[in-house]
Amino acid sequence: MTVRKNQASLTAAEKRSFVDALLELKRTGRYDTFVTTHNAFIMSDTDSGDRVGHRSPSFLPWHRRFLIQFEQALQAIDPTVALPYWDWTADRTASASLWAPNFLGGTGRSRDGQVTEGPFAVDGGRWPVTVTVDGRGFLRRALGSGVAQLPTRAEVDSVLAMPTYDTAPWNSASNGFRNHLEGWRGVNLHNRVHVWVGGQMATGASPNDPVFWLHHAFIDRLWAQWQARHPRSAYLPAGATRNVVSLNDVMRPWNDVTPAEMLDHTKFYTFDTLA
């Protein structure tokens, strides 16, 4: 069984294996297919039209399936690899361990955001950014520039306390757990982290930055925590609802998986702790 760990507890060997698997997936061209998929759904998901990956109840099961598929791609390269998660309520600064040169590298330089250290820096030649939104073919970050502070534990707890999964109108105006976690309302959790990292993370092509996977692994863990705290609170909507994915509807692009099949993460992986 795959165990997803806090990135702060990874050994040097575990970090190296994760990075090596990312670089190999990039070399084969498979990595960029994930970037392309995510960007396509960001562009097509709207509040008033069909929405699957974002601004909708299926934001969480869609990304859970997306992460499982990506993790399996890494494990086809190295079966020992699991997606780590980044607890940004604890590792809150640009000097946190995940930004070290031997892991993800740090922030970008001031003039163009280019990441210049670590395994994903352009000078290494192993991380060309080919799915672009602005034509620049290098990894960019601007840690803490777009917004000053990452979400706090107290803010997370306030969202985890919300008892209802989602509500009409099932978009970025909804007043429920999913939308507050996604960040369109309230204290702004998921979206704020994307903006704090900056660079490609602030665009639809956010998986260009490997930290995308660590961030979303933590979002997924928060959903698992919410499920454990509210065992009687179901995924909503349960019945057919215009423009959104209900409990038993299939999700694009896979067309063979429903939110119902994604509710129990323990069929696929566990976390080092849900405490």
Side-chain angles (χ1 to χ4, degrees):
M1 173 65 72
T2 296
V3 179
R4 294 184 181 174
K5 300 178 182 179
N6 189 326
Q7 65 80 29
S9 69
L10 296 180
T11 66
E14 287 172 328
K15 290 180 180 180
R16 187 164 52 250
S17 293
F18 178 63
V19 167
D20 287 348
L22 288 171
L23 292 171
E24 177 60 14
L25 199 64
K26 182 74 164 178
R27 186 194 67 79
T28 66
R30 180 87 192 279
Y31 189 97
D32 288 344
T33 67
F34 289 93
V35 185
T36 298
T37 295
H38 188 270
N39 191 50
F41 278 84
I42 280 276
M43 298 302 292
S44 64
D45 290 329
T46 66
D47 275 343
S48 57
D50 184 44
R51 47 198 181 275
V52 181
H54 308 84
R55 300 173 177 264
S56 65
S58 51
F59 167 74
L60 290 168
W62 190 92
H63 280 86
R64 180 168 282 178
R65 179 65 183 87
F66 193 52
L67 264 65
I68 289 170
Q69 185 181 37
F70 184 76
E71 189 169 54
Q72 290 171 342
L74 293 178
Q75 290 171 342
I77 296 168
D78 183 345
T80 70
V81 168
L83 284 178
Y85 63 86
W86 167 31
D87 181 353
W88 26 255
T89 69
D91 296 308
R92 304 179 50 75
T93 71
S95 61
S97 58
L98 77 162
W99 307 117
N102 69 339
F103 197 28
L104 300 188
T107 195
R109 61 191 183 188
S110 58
R111 71 174 183 268
D112 59 4
Q114 182 182 137
V115 173
T116 60
E117 63 177 8
F120 308 104
V122 67
D123 289 348
R126 302 182 69 186
W127 202 257
V129 172
T130 59
V131 185
T132 68
V133 294
D134 58 12
R136 288 182 283 184
F138 50 81
L139 180 60
R140 293 183 291 109
R141 292 185 187 128
L143 304 184
S145 294
V147 61
Q149 297 291 329
L150 289 163
T152 65
R153 186 70 231 179
E155 288 172 327
V156 166
D157 287 340
S158 72
V159 173
L160 290 177
M162 303 183 75
T164 302
Y165 180 79
D166 211 342
T167 63
W170 317 109
N171 60 19
S172 68
S174 299
N175 186 26
F177 164 74
R178 183 276 310 169
N179 198 33
H180 283 257
L181 178 59
E182 190 174 354
W184 299 109
R185 290 194 67 173
V187 294
N188 185 358
L189 300 183
H190 157 267
N191 289 347
R192 195 196 324 178
V193 177
H194 277 270
V195 175
W196 186 89
V197 175
Q200 281 97 356
M201 272 285 280
T203 75
S206 49
N208 273 311
D209 193 330
V211 79
F212 171 92
W213 308 103
L214 283 73
H215 171 38
H216 272 275
F218 188 58
I219 293 295
D220 187 75
R221 180 174 176 267
L222 292 178
W223 182 26
Q225 287 181 322
W226 180 86
Q227 291 175 301
R229 295 186 189 190
H230 304 277
R232 297 182 181 178
S233 297
Y235 178 93
L236 296 171
T241 304
R242 180 178 171 82
N243 288 331
V244 301
V245 182
S246 64
L247 179 64
N248 294 301
D249 289 339
V250 295
M251 294 185 289
R252 294 186 288 108
W254 309 286
N255 297 319
D256 63 357
V257 62
T258 66
E261 294 171 298
M262 288 290 101
L263 298 182
D264 182 9
H265 73 278
T266 64
K267 296 184 296 183
F268 309 98
Y269 55 87
T270 60
F271 293 99
D272 53 357
T273 175
L274 273 183

